[in-house]
Amino acid sequence: MSHGVAARELYEALARHDGAEPYETVVVQWLDRAQGGYRAWLATAAEDGSWWTQNATEPGGRELVWELYALHRVSDLLLLPFQPPADQPGSSDPRPLLSEREYLDLFTSLGMTPVADGDAFDPFLHEIAEVEQADDPHAPIEITELLWPGLMLGRLLFSRAGVRIRAGVEIARRGVADRSPLYWTFRRRHRPTVDLSQGWGRNSQWRTDFRLDYRTPTGDRLNAAADHPIDGSADLHPDHPGNLSPEERLLTPGERRTLLRHRCLLRRPEAADALAGSPAWEQDLMPFDWRLPDCES
């Protein structure tokens, strides 16, 4: 479905831009063409998860999920300067493209709203970017700083806010919660990421599904696309864990739920020694069709 504008076009223009004022010279011009039909098209995915069930197999539905993914890649690129530095010596700092205000102006112009500020950590709304270890090993997660804003598209989560936290080592371990692979994510400055675009060609990588998380009056629906009958979907019921790989089965039910909710692990797995026999196990996990059982959704 064509609306005369595409997020991939914006991503590639920003990635190659080396002049001044990318907001005025790239973003504003793109936004001028993205009003009206494009914004209304995005809004069709905003209200609740029933949209996926009704439109998953329709061409327009597939294209919209791919377009949301491409738009999220724009966000990933723009947020790099807001993130902690990489641990590797000699890594260069990313060049800021937009200020926080310009970043918010871009996405609010497309109908999104910033995540409301709040004192309590919420894995639906917050991504752990850096951990400060509390003295009490069981201290709960506490937000100490907001590093970048989060965005909602109606009830659909578009991107989580990045936060620095303080927590006990038994709750969120520094070096794991903030440095282990982040799934459903294309790029981060300070940690590895895993998404289904990786390893595909220049064009094929853009046909990657955006993860659909909805906050509804009756509860959160995580990875709502997995609610649609898809071969290989894994219900994370503790007694009937579905179609999981041997490495995924080595994670405890609680660890699998943590990974689905936080998009990463928060602590070293209990079976870390057994998993060490597969050195690439973190990159080989495939949680992209995982879903919570109906009683927990």
Side-chain angles (χ1 to χ4, degrees):
M1 184 177 297
S2 175
H3 295 278
V5 65
R8 176 181 176 179
E9 171 193 357
L10 176 60
Y11 176 89
E12 292 177 343
L14 287 168
R16 65 174 177 262
H17 182 81
D18 59 4
E21 301 295 337
Y23 183 77
E24 295 297 332
T25 58
V26 177
V27 174
V28 170
Q29 294 182 28
W30 184 87
L31 280 174
D32 285 345
R33 295 185 290 115
Q35 298 305 309
Y38 183 83
R39 175 171 169 158
W41 185 44
L42 295 180
T44 60
E47 289 311 310
D48 60 55
S50 64
W51 173 89
W52 171 259
T53 302
Q54 295 165 4
N55 296 279
T57 59
E58 298 297 324
R62 301 302 302 164
E63 289 179 17
L64 178 51
V65 174
W66 296 338
E67 184 65 15
L68 286 166
Y69 170 79
L71 202 56
H72 197 259
R73 286 214 359 198
V74 173
S75 175
D76 278 0
L77 176 65
L78 295 174
L79 289 175
L80 290 175
F82 297 87
Q83 294 160 12
D87 294 332
Q88 296 85 356
S91 57
S92 59
D93 293 335
R95 178 171 56 92
L97 289 168
L98 301 187
S99 68
E100 181 177 321
R101 172 43 51 197
E102 290 169 336
Y103 171 85
L104 288 173
D105 284 348
L106 164 58
F107 289 104
T108 56
S109 295
L110 298 175
M112 300 184 193
T113 55
V115 169
D117 293 337
D119 296 330
F121 175 81
D122 181 344
F124 186 94
L125 300 174
H126 299 125
E127 173 188 322
I128 297 172
E130 199 152 30
V131 176
E132 175 189 346
Q133 218 71 84
D135 293 337
D136 178 357
H138 297 283
I141 295 174
E142 170 191 2
I143 296 175
T144 60
E145 186 178 356
L146 177 70
L147 300 180
W148 67 82
L151 292 160
M152 297 288 294
L153 179 63
R155 292 176 179 170
L156 174 66
L157 174 70
F158 177 72
S159 63
R160 297 185 298 169
V163 292
R164 182 173 286 120
I165 67 161
R166 181 184 298 112
V169 69
E170 296 297 326
I171 305 299
R173 179 181 287 272
R174 180 176 175 84
V176 179
D178 53 0
R179 292 298 185 273
S180 65
L182 190 66
Y183 299 84
W184 290 278
T185 305
F186 175 68
R187 190 176 177 188
R188 288 292 181 267
R189 179 185 179 190
H190 61 297
R191 68 192 303 175
T193 57
V194 182
D195 81 4
L196 290 176
S197 77
Q198 295 166 0
W200 290 91
R202 174 177 170 81
N203 292 318
S204 299
Q205 64 182 285
W206 294 96
R207 292 195 167 191
T208 298
D209 287 351
F210 178 72
R211 171 168 157 163
L212 300 170
D213 285 3
Y214 288 92
R215 174 147 285 180
T216 77
T218 57
D220 294 339
R221 295 187 64 203
L222 303 182
N223 201 20
D227 290 342
H228 192 76
I230 298 174
D231 291 341
S233 294
D235 189 329
L236 298 185
H237 191 285
D239 299 321
H240 309 286
N243 185 20
L244 299 174
S245 71
E247 290 79 13
E248 290 164 352
R249 288 177 181 272
L250 285 173
L251 298 177
T252 68
E255 289 166 347
R256 293 194 293 265
R257 283 168 172 71
T258 292
L259 195 154
L260 180 59
R261 288 191 173 104
H262 291 263
R263 309 190 186 202
C264 68
L265 294 171
L266 299 189
R267 300 182 305 280
R268 186 173 182 265
E270 292 182 15
D273 291 342
L275 287 164
S278 302
W281 68 268
E282 289 178 306
Q283 284 70 35
D284 291 341
L285 293 181
M286 293 292 291
F288 303 101
D289 286 333
W290 289 5
R291 63 181 297 278
L292 294 175
D294 291 339
C295 60
E296 296 185 27
S297 298

